[in-house]
CSV table of all heavy atoms in Angstrom, one decimal:
chain,number,residue,atom,x,y,z
A,6,SER,N,0.8,-1.2,0.0
A,6,SER,CA,0.0,0.0,0.0
A,6,SER,C,0.8,1.3,0.0
A,6,SER,O,0.3,2.4,0.1
A,6,SER,CB,-0.9,0.0,1.2
A,6,SER,OG,-0.2,-0.1,2.4
A,7,ILE,N,2.2,1.1,-0.1
A,7,ILE,CA,3.0,2.3,0.0
A,7,ILE,C,2.9,3.1,-1.3
A,7,ILE,O,2.9,2.5,-2.4
A,7,ILE,CB,4.5,1.9,0.2
A,7,ILE,CG1,4.7,1.4,1.6
A,7,ILE,CG2,5.5,3.0,-0.2
A,7,ILE,CD1,6.1,0.9,1.9
A,8,SER,N,2.8,4.4,-1.2
A,8,SER,CA,2.8,5.2,-2.4
A,8,SER,C,4.1,5.9,-2.5
A,8,SER,O,5.2,5.3,-2.8
A,8,SER,CB,1.6,6.2,-2.3
A,8,SER,OG,1.8,7.0,-1.1
A,9,ALA,N,4.2,7.2,-2.4
A,9,ALA,CA,5.4,8.0,-2.6
A,9,ALA,C,6.4,7.7,-1.4
A,9,ALA,O,5.9,7.4,-0.3
A,9,ALA,CB,5.1,9.5,-2.7
A,10,MET,N,7.6,7.8,-1.7
A,10,MET,CA,8.7,7.8,-0.6
A,10,MET,C,9.3,9.1,-0.6
A,10,MET,O,9.5,9.8,-1.6
A,10,MET,CB,9.7,6.7,-1.0
A,10,MET,CG,9.2,5.3,-1.1
A,10,MET,SD,8.7,4.6,0.4
A,10,MET,CE,10.4,4.2,1.1
A,11,ASN,N,9.6,9.6,0.6
A,11,ASN,CA,10.1,10.9,0.9
A,11,ASN,C,11.3,10.9,1.8
A,11,ASN,O,11.4,10.1,2.7
A,11,ASN,CB,9.0,11.8,1.5
A,11,ASN,CG,7.7,11.7,0.8
A,11,ASN,OD1,7.5,12.4,-0.1
A,11,ASN,ND2,6.8,10.8,1.3
A,12,TRP,N,12.2,11.8,1.5
A,12,TRP,CA,13.3,12.1,2.5
A,12,TRP,C,13.1,13.5,3.0
A,12,TRP,O,12.9,14.4,2.3
A,12,TRP,CB,14.7,12.0,1.7
A,12,TRP,CG,15.1,10.6,1.5
A,12,TRP,CD1,15.0,9.9,0.3
A,12,TRP,CD2,15.7,9.7,2.4
A,12,TRP,NE1,15.5,8.7,0.4
A,12,TRP,CE2,16.0,8.5,1.7
A,12,TRP,CE3,16.1,9.8,3.7
A,12,TRP,CZ2,16.6,7.4,2.3
A,12,TRP,CZ3,16.7,8.7,4.3
A,12,TRP,CH2,17.0,7.5,3.6
A,13,TYR,N,13.2,13.5,4.4
A,13,TYR,CA,13.2,14.8,5.1
A,13,TYR,C,14.5,14.9,5.8
A,13,TYR,O,15.2,13.9,6.0
A,13,TYR,CB,12.0,14.8,6.1
A,13,TYR,CG,10.6,15.0,5.5
A,13,TYR,CD1,10.0,14.0,4.8
A,13,TYR,CD2,10.0,16.2,5.7
A,13,TYR,CE1,8.7,14.2,4.3
A,13,TYR,CE2,8.7,16.4,5.2
A,13,TYR,CZ,8.1,15.4,4.5
A,13,TYR,OH,6.8,15.6,4.0
A,14,ARG,N,14.7,16.1,6.3
A,14,ARG,CA,15.9,16.3,7.2
A,14,ARG,C,15.6,17.4,8.2
A,14,ARG,O,14.7,18.2,8.0
A,14,ARG,CB,17.1,16.7,6.4
A,14,ARG,CG,17.1,18.1,5.8
A,14,ARG,CD,18.3,18.3,4.9
A,14,ARG,NE,18.3,19.6,4.3
A,14,ARG,CZ,19.2,20.0,3.4
A,14,ARG,NH1,20.2,19.2,3.0
A,14,ARG,NH2,19.2,21.2,2.9
A,15,GLN,N,16.2,17.3,9.4
A,15,GLN,CA,16.0,18.2,10.4
A,15,GLN,C,17.4,18.5,11.1
A,15,GLN,O,18.0,17.6,11.6
A,15,GLN,CB,15.1,17.7,11.5
A,15,GLN,CG,14.7,18.7,12.5
A,15,GLN,CD,13.5,18.3,13.4
A,15,GLN,OE1,13.2,17.1,13.5
A,15,GLN,NE2,12.9,19.3,14.0
A,16,ALA,N,17.8,19.8,11.0
A,16,ALA,CA,19.0,20.2,11.7
A,16,ALA,C,18.6,20.8,13.1
A,16,ALA,O,17.5,21.1,13.3
A,16,ALA,CB,19.6,21.3,10.8
A,17,PRO,N,19.6,20.8,14.0
A,17,PRO,CA,19.3,21.3,15.3
A,17,PRO,C,18.8,22.7,15.3
A,17,PRO,O,19.3,23.6,14.6
A,17,PRO,CB,20.7,21.2,16.0
A,17,PRO,CG,21.5,20.2,15.2
A,17,PRO,CD,21.0,20.3,13.8
A,18,GLY,N,17.7,22.8,16.0
A,18,GLY,CA,17.0,24.2,16.1
A,18,GLY,C,16.2,24.6,14.9
A,18,GLY,O,15.7,25.7,14.9
A,19,LYS,N,16.1,23.7,14.0
A,19,LYS,CA,15.3,24.0,12.8
A,19,LYS,C,14.2,23.0,12.6
A,19,LYS,O,14.1,22.0,13.1
A,19,LYS,CB,16.2,24.0,11.5
A,19,LYS,CG,17.3,25.0,11.5
A,19,LYS,CD,18.1,25.1,10.2
A,19,LYS,CE,19.1,26.2,10.2
A,19,LYS,NZ,19.8,26.2,8.9
A,20,GLN,N,13.2,23.5,11.8
A,20,GLN,CA,12.1,22.6,11.5
A,20,GLN,C,12.5,21.5,10.5
A,20,GLN,O,13.4,21.7,9.7
A,20,GLN,CB,10.9,23.5,10.9
A,20,GLN,CG,10.2,24.3,11.9
A,20,GLN,CD,9.0,25.0,11.3
A,20,GLN,OE1,8.9,25.2,10.1
A,20,GLN,NE2,8.0,25.2,12.1
A,21,ARG,N,11.8,20.4,10.6
A,21,ARG,CA,12.0,19.4,9.6
A,21,ARG,C,11.5,19.8,8.2
A,21,ARG,O,10.5,20.5,8.1
A,21,ARG,CB,11.2,18.1,10.0
A,21,ARG,CG,11.6,16.9,9.3
A,21,ARG,CD,10.9,15.6,9.9
A,21,ARG,NE,11.4,15.4,11.3
A,21,ARG,CZ,11.1,14.3,11.9
A,21,ARG,NH1,10.4,13.3,11.4
A,21,ARG,NH2,11.6,14.1,13.2
A,22,GLU,N,12.4,19.6,7.2
A,22,GLU,CA,12.0,20.0,5.9
A,22,GLU,C,12.1,18.9,4.9
A,22,GLU,O,12.9,17.9,5.0
A,22,GLU,CB,13.0,21.1,5.4
A,22,GLU,CG,14.5,20.7,5.3
A,22,GLU,CD,15.4,21.8,4.7
A,22,GLU,OE1,14.9,22.7,4.2
A,22,GLU,OE2,16.6,21.6,4.8
A,23,LEU,N,11.3,19.0,3.8
A,23,LEU,CA,11.2,18.0,2.8
A,23,LEU,C,12.4,18.2,1.9
A,23,LEU,O,12.7,19.3,1.4
A,23,LEU,CB,9.9,18.1,2.0
A,23,LEU,CG,9.8,17.1,0.8
A,23,LEU,CD1,9.8,15.7,1.3
A,23,LEU,CD2,8.5,17.5,0.0
A,24,VAL,N,13.2,17.1,1.6
A,24,VAL,CA,14.3,17.2,0.8
A,24,VAL,C,14.0,16.6,-0.6
A,24,VAL,O,14.3,17.3,-1.6
A,24,VAL,CB,15.5,16.3,1.4
A,24,VAL,CG1,16.7,16.3,0.4
A,24,VAL,CG2,15.9,16.9,2.7
A,25,ALA,N,13.4,15.5,-0.7
A,25,ALA,CA,13.1,14.9,-2.0
A,25,ALA,C,11.9,13.9,-1.9
A,25,ALA,O,11.7,13.3,-0.8
A,25,ALA,CB,14.3,14.2,-2.6
A,26,THR,N,11.2,13.8,-3.0
A,26,THR,CA,10.1,12.8,-3.1
A,26,THR,C,10.2,12.0,-4.4
A,26,THR,O,10.6,12.6,-5.4
A,26,THR,CB,8.7,13.6,-3.1
A,26,THR,OG1,8.6,14.2,-1.8
A,26,THR,CG2,7.6,12.7,-3.3
A,27,ILE,N,9.8,10.8,-4.3
A,27,ILE,CA,9.7,10.0,-5.5
A,27,ILE,C,8.3,9.2,-5.4
A,27,ILE,O,8.0,8.6,-4.4
A,27,ILE,CB,10.9,9.0,-5.7
A,27,ILE,CG1,10.7,8.3,-7.0
A,27,ILE,CG2,11.0,8.0,-4.5
A,27,ILE,CD1,12.0,7.6,-7.5
A,28,THR,N,7.5,9.4,-6.5
A,28,THR,CA,6.2,8.7,-6.5
A,28,THR,C,6.4,7.2,-6.9
A,28,THR,O,7.5,6.8,-7.3
A,28,THR,CB,5.3,9.4,-7.5
A,28,THR,OG1,5.8,9.2,-8.8
A,28,THR,CG2,5.2,10.9,-7.2
A,29,SER,N,5.3,6.5,-6.8
A,29,SER,CA,5.4,5.1,-7.2
A,29,SER,C,5.7,4.9,-8.6
A,29,SER,O,6.2,3.9,-9.1
A,29,SER,CB,4.0,4.4,-6.8
A,29,SER,OG,3.0,5.1,-7.4
A,30,GLY,N,5.4,6.0,-9.4
A,30,GLY,CA,5.7,5.9,-10.9
A,30,GLY,C,7.0,6.5,-11.2
A,30,GLY,O,7.4,6.5,-12.4
A,31,GLY,N,7.8,6.9,-10.2
A,31,GLY,CA,9.1,7.4,-10.5
A,31,GLY,C,9.3,8.9,-10.7
A,31,GLY,O,10.4,9.4,-11.0
A,32,PHE,N,8.2,9.6,-10.5
A,32,PHE,CA,8.3,11.1,-10.6
A,32,PHE,C,9.0,11.6,-9.4
A,32,PHE,O,8.7,11.2,-8.3
A,32,PHE,CB,6.9,11.7,-10.7
A,32,PHE,CG,6.9,13.2,-10.9
A,32,PHE,CD1,7.2,13.8,-12.1
A,32,PHE,CD2,6.5,14.0,-9.9
A,32,PHE,CE1,7.2,15.1,-12.3
A,32,PHE,CE2,6.5,15.4,-10.0
A,32,PHE,CZ,6.9,16.0,-11.2
A,33,THR,N,9.9,12.6,-9.6
A,33,THR,CA,10.7,13.1,-8.5
A,33,THR,C,10.5,14.6,-8.3
A,33,THR,O,10.3,15.4,-9.3
A,33,THR,CB,12.2,12.8,-8.7
A,33,THR,OG1,12.6,13.4,-10.0
A,33,THR,CG2,12.4,11.3,-8.8
A,34,ILE,N,10.7,15.0,-7.1
A,34,ILE,CA,10.6,16.4,-6.7
A,34,ILE,C,11.7,16.7,-5.7
A,34,ILE,O,12.0,15.8,-4.8
A,34,ILE,CB,9.3,16.8,-6.0
A,34,ILE,CG1,8.1,16.4,-7.0
A,34,ILE,CG2,9.2,18.2,-5.6
A,34,ILE,CD1,6.7,16.5,-6.3
A,35,TYR,N,12.4,17.8,-5.8
A,35,TYR,CA,13.5,18.2,-4.9
A,35,TYR,C,13.3,19.6,-4.3
A,35,TYR,O,12.8,20.5,-5.0
A,35,TYR,CB,14.8,18.2,-5.7
A,35,TYR,CG,15.2,16.8,-6.3
A,35,TYR,CD1,14.8,16.4,-7.5
A,35,TYR,CD2,15.9,15.9,-5.5
A,35,TYR,CE1,15.2,15.2,-8.1
A,35,TYR,CE2,16.2,14.6,-6.0
A,35,TYR,CZ,15.9,14.3,-7.2
A,35,TYR,OH,16.2,13.1,-7.7
A,36,ALA,N,13.8,19.7,-3.2
A,36,ALA,CA,14.0,21.0,-2.6
A,36,ALA,C,15.0,21.8,-3.4
A,36,ALA,O,16.0,21.3,-3.9
A,36,ALA,CB,14.4,21.0,-1.1
A,37,ASN,N,14.8,23.1,-3.5
A,37,ASN,CA,15.7,24.0,-4.3
A,37,ASN,C,17.1,23.9,-3.8
A,37,ASN,O,18.1,23.9,-4.5
A,37,ASN,CB,15.2,25.4,-4.3
A,37,ASN,CG,14.0,25.6,-5.1
A,37,ASN,OD1,13.7,24.9,-6.1
A,37,ASN,ND2,13.2,26.7,-4.8
A,38,SER,N,17.3,23.7,-2.5
A,38,SER,CA,18.6,23.7,-1.9
A,38,SER,C,19.4,22.5,-2.3
A,38,SER,O,20.6,22.5,-2.1
A,38,SER,CB,18.5,23.8,-0.3
A,38,SER,OG,17.7,22.7,0.1
A,39,VAL,N,18.8,21.4,-2.8
A,39,VAL,CA,19.5,20.2,-3.1
A,39,VAL,C,19.5,19.8,-4.6
A,39,VAL,O,20.1,18.9,-5.0
A,39,VAL,CB,19.0,19.0,-2.3
A,39,VAL,CG1,19.1,19.3,-0.8
A,39,VAL,CG2,17.7,18.5,-2.7
A,40,LYS,N,18.7,20.6,-5.4
A,40,LYS,CA,18.6,20.3,-6.8
A,40,LYS,C,20.0,20.3,-7.5
A,40,LYS,O,20.8,21.2,-7.2
A,40,LYS,CB,17.7,21.4,-7.5
A,40,LYS,CG,16.2,21.1,-7.4
A,40,LYS,CD,15.5,22.2,-8.1
A,40,LYS,CE,14.0,21.9,-7.9
A,40,LYS,NZ,13.2,23.0,-8.5
A,41,GLY,N,20.2,19.3,-8.3
A,41,GLY,CA,21.5,19.2,-9.0
A,41,GLY,C,22.6,18.5,-8.2
A,41,GLY,O,23.6,18.1,-8.7
A,42,ARG,N,22.3,18.3,-6.9
A,42,ARG,CA,23.3,17.6,-6.0
A,42,ARG,C,22.8,16.3,-5.5
A,42,ARG,O,23.6,15.3,-5.3
A,42,ARG,CB,23.7,18.5,-4.8
A,42,ARG,CG,24.3,19.8,-5.2
A,42,ARG,CD,24.8,20.6,-4.0
A,42,ARG,NE,23.8,20.9,-3.1
A,42,ARG,CZ,23.8,20.5,-1.8
A,42,ARG,NH1,24.8,19.8,-1.3
A,42,ARG,NH2,22.8,20.9,-1.0
A,43,PHE,N,21.5,16.2,-5.2
A,43,PHE,CA,20.9,15.0,-4.6
A,43,PHE,C,20.1,14.3,-5.7
A,43,PHE,O,19.4,14.9,-6.5
A,43,PHE,CB,20.0,15.3,-3.4
A,43,PHE,CG,20.8,15.8,-2.2
A,43,PHE,CD1,22.1,16.1,-2.2
A,43,PHE,CD2,20.1,15.9,-1.0
A,43,PHE,CE1,22.8,16.6,-1.1
A,43,PHE,CE2,20.7,16.4,0.2
A,43,PHE,CZ,22.1,16.7,0.1
A,44,THR,N,20.0,13.0,-5.6
A,44,THR,CA,19.2,12.2,-6.5
A,44,THR,C,18.4,11.1,-5.6
A,44,THR,O,19.0,10.4,-4.9
A,44,THR,CB,20.0,11.5,-7.5
A,44,THR,OG1,20.7,12.4,-8.3
A,44,THR,CG2,19.1,10.7,-8.5
A,45,ILE,N,17.1,11.2,-5.8
A,45,ILE,CA,16.3,10.2,-5.1
A,45,ILE,C,15.9,9.1,-6.1
A,45,ILE,O,15.7,9.3,-7.3
A,45,ILE,CB,15.0,10.8,-4.5
A,45,ILE,CG1,14.3,9.8,-3.6
A,45,ILE,CG2,14.1,11.4,-5.5
A,45,ILE,CD1,13.1,10.4,-2.8
A,46,SER,N,15.9,7.8,-5.6
A,46,SER,CA,15.5,6.7,-6.5
A,46,SER,C,14.9,5.7,-5.6
A,46,SER,O,14.9,5.7,-4.4
A,46,SER,CB,16.8,6.2,-7.2
A,46,SER,OG,17.7,5.7,-6.3
A,47,ARG,N,14.3,4.7,-6.3
A,47,ARG,CA,13.7,3.6,-5.5
A,47,ARG,C,13.8,2.3,-6.3
A,47,ARG,O,13.8,2.3,-7.5
A,47,ARG,CB,12.2,3.9,-5.2
A,47,ARG,CG,11.3,4.0,-6.3
A,47,ARG,CD,9.9,4.6,-5.9
A,47,ARG,NE,9.1,3.7,-5.1
A,47,ARG,CZ,8.0,4.0,-4.5
A,47,ARG,NH1,7.6,5.3,-4.6
A,47,ARG,NH2,7.3,3.2,-3.8
A,48,ASP,N,14.0,1.2,-5.6
A,48,ASP,CA,14.0,-0.1,-6.1
A,48,ASP,C,12.8,-0.9,-5.6
A,48,ASP,O,12.8,-1.3,-4.4
A,48,ASP,CB,15.3,-0.8,-5.8
A,48,ASP,CG,15.5,-2.2,-6.4
A,48,ASP,OD1,14.4,-2.8,-6.7
A,48,ASP,OD2,16.6,-2.6,-6.6
A,49,ASN,N,11.7,-1.0,-6.3
A,49,ASN,CA,10.5,-1.6,-5.9
A,49,ASN,C,10.7,-3.0,-5.5
A,49,ASN,O,10.0,-3.6,-4.6
A,49,ASN,CB,9.4,-1.3,-6.8
A,49,ASN,CG,9.0,0.1,-7.0
A,49,ASN,OD1,9.0,0.9,-6.0
A,49,ASN,ND2,8.6,0.5,-8.1
A,50,ALA,N,11.6,-3.7,-6.2
A,50,ALA,CA,11.8,-5.1,-6.0
A,50,ALA,C,12.4,-5.3,-4.6
A,50,ALA,O,12.2,-6.4,-4.0
A,50,ALA,CB,12.7,-5.7,-7.1
A,51,LYS,N,13.2,-4.4,-4.2
A,51,LYS,CA,13.9,-4.4,-2.8
A,51,LYS,C,13.1,-3.6,-1.8
A,51,LYS,O,13.6,-3.6,-0.6
A,51,LYS,CB,15.3,-4.0,-3.0
A,51,LYS,CG,16.2,-4.8,-3.8
A,51,LYS,CD,17.6,-4.3,-3.8
A,51,LYS,CE,18.5,-5.2,-4.7
A,51,LYS,NZ,19.9,-4.7,-4.7
A,52,ASN,N,12.0,-3.0,-2.2
A,52,ASN,CA,11.3,-2.1,-1.3
A,52,ASN,C,12.2,-1.1,-0.6
A,52,ASN,O,12.1,-0.9,0.7
A,52,ASN,CB,10.6,-3.0,-0.2
A,52,ASN,CG,9.7,-4.1,-0.8
A,52,ASN,OD1,8.9,-3.8,-1.7
A,52,ASN,ND2,9.8,-5.3,-0.4
A,53,THR,N,13.0,-0.5,-1.3
A,53,THR,CA,14.0,0.4,-0.8
A,53,THR,C,14.1,1.7,-1.6
A,53,THR,O,14.0,1.6,-2.8
A,53,THR,CB,15.4,-0.3,-0.8
A,53,THR,OG1,15.3,-1.5,0.0
A,53,THR,CG2,16.4,0.7,-0.2
């Protein structure tokens, strides 16, 4: 039943922020601060 997978991060004293999202179909979204440096991916066979 899992849909999108997301990575968030939280630095000390700061709010948790969304870093990247990947949908079940492989569509990706990135925070502006990590675009071009971070890549999100998923392996559905490994559930990872």
Side-chain angles (χ1 to χ4, degrees):
S6 57
I7 287 177
S8 55
M10 300 287 288
N11 310 274
W12 284 100
Y13 283 76
R14 67 185 181 187
Q15 187 167 21
K19 294 187 177 181
Q20 288 189 330
R21 193 170 294 190
E22 63 173 349
L23 178 63
V24 175
T26 294
I27 184 166
T28 68
S29 55
F32 182 73
T33 58
I34 303 170
Y35 297 94
N37 287 335
S38 58
V39 306
K40 277 182 183 176
R42 300 188 298 121
F43 291 10
T44 303
I45 189 171
S46 62
R47 65 192 290 172
D48 184 334
N49 292 328
K51 295 183 178 180
N52 304 312
T53 301

